[in-house]
Amino acid sequence: MDAKAKKLDAAKASLEFIEPGTVLGVGTGSTVNCLIELLPTVRERIDQLVSSSRATTKLLEEHGFEVSTLNEVGDLDLYIDGADEATKRLHLIKGGGGALTREKVLAGAARRFVCIIDDSKFVGMLGEFPLPVEVLPMAQAFVTRRFVKLRGQPVWREGFVTDNGNHIIDVHGLKISNPLEFESRLNQIPGIVTVGLFAQRPADILLIASDDGVRELRT
Ligand code: 5RP
């Protein structure tokens, strides 16, 4: 089974968490795009929708959904999103698509966060995938130097501007053995808007699609 088919399987499995009257947050990326293709089949169960990026908003609107802001809806019943890496503790690296800040806000605002991945993203330790970090443009060089001190190899995602007008640094070579502590530490660095480590607010449910079907892990 190829990666696209697995993504579709994980997305399909997440539909059962959408109950009647759900205020739903929708993440960003190719796995979530599979979910958006399927959302019209459960349209009547969705009360309101909030999006984590301009790209997701565009796709939702193309599928005939009205997209509300988080300010309008208050908290979310459910947030569904993909990830770049996930562990058995449901800690995640996210932000490969550059939407990490709004994704973190929606995950924080959600009573339940369901993460959908294919099995290539399920890892023993986070850090093989470069850690995306959204930074204020004026702080880019400063934050880069800080990551060098932390023995990372920071690479500016050149030419990429986030939906919030900021830059992304992808930090290679990290072995993140203590994601909770590392996330707190990085959050102290001035100029960082958001670290793509989701450990303080992990997923509640992880759906991992493989050739053998979809496995469910919970915190
Ligand atoms: C975007 C993200 C995505 O969830 C992550 O990059 C996974 O994307 P894909 O489903 O395309 O593999 O964090 O900012």
Side-chain angles (χ1 to χ4, degrees):
M1 193 187 277
D2 66 9
K4 163 92 194 193
K6 290 180 188 172
K7 287 176 188 194
L8 196 57
D9 276 359
K12 212 178 276 174
S14 72
L15 292 178
E16 75 169 79
F17 295 93
I18 304 175
E19 293 168 355
T22 294
V23 178
L24 177 67
V26 184
T28 298
S30 56
T31 315
V32 164
N33 290 349
C34 294
L35 171 70
I36 295 172
E37 298 296 325
L38 298 168
L39 276 185
T41 64
V42 294
R43 192 185 292 274
E44 74 289 347
R45 287 192 240 152
I46 300 169
D47 187 24
Q48 284 173 300
L49 273 181
V50 178
S51 159
S52 61
S53 64
R54 287 191 192 146
T56 289
T57 299
K58 184 168 178 285
L59 203 54
L60 285 168
E61 288 176 347
E62 281 169 12
H63 285 75
F65 288 101
E66 191 183 313
V67 179
S68 303
T69 66
L70 186 63
N71 291 328
E72 286 165 340
V73 306
D75 283 347
L76 305 172
D77 297 310
L78 176 65
Y79 179 55
I80 306 177
D81 198 356
D84 301 299
E85 279 185 349
T87 68
K88 65 178 182 195
R89 294 185 174 230
L90 279 57
H91 296 151
L92 314 171
I93 283 184
K94 291 187 45 53
L100 60 160
T101 296
R102 296 184 189 197
E103 291 173 342
K104 208 175 238 195
V105 173
L106 295 195
R111 278 183 272 281
R112 188 180 245 187
F113 173 14
V114 174
C115 181
I116 50 178
I117 58 167
D118 65 77
D119 56 354
S120 69
K121 293 165 169 183
F122 191 58
V123 297
M125 189 192 289
L126 299 175
E128 187 71 34
F129 190 91
L131 179 68
V133 179
E134 181 164 351
V135 297
L136 290 178
M138 59 77 71
Q140 186 187 317
F142 167 71
V143 173
T144 297
R145 290 197 297 278
R146 284 297 187 94
F147 274 109
V148 171
K149 277 190 189 155
L150 291 170
R151 301 182 191 285
Q153 291 123 42
V155 177
W156 174 37
R157 203 181 290 183
E158 206 168 344
F160 186 89
V161 178
T162 70
D163 285 354
N164 314 305
N166 295 315
H167 291 179
I168 299 274
I169 297 170
D170 294 301
V171 187
H172 297 246
L174 297 172
K175 286 192 175 61
I176 307 174
S177 57
N178 188 342
L180 278 165
E181 193 265 335
F182 196 52
E183 185 179 358
S184 297
R185 193 162 158 203
L186 297 182
N187 283 341
Q188 307 305 316
I189 300 175
I192 288 184
V193 177
T194 304
V195 175
L197 197 50
F198 286 52
Q200 308 280 344
R201 200 305 175 222
D204 300 307
I205 295 169
L206 181 64
L207 299 175
I208 310 164
S210 71
D211 286 335
D212 302 325
V214 179
R215 185 151 68 106
E216 180 179 313
L217 296 184
R218 292 186 183 231
T219 41

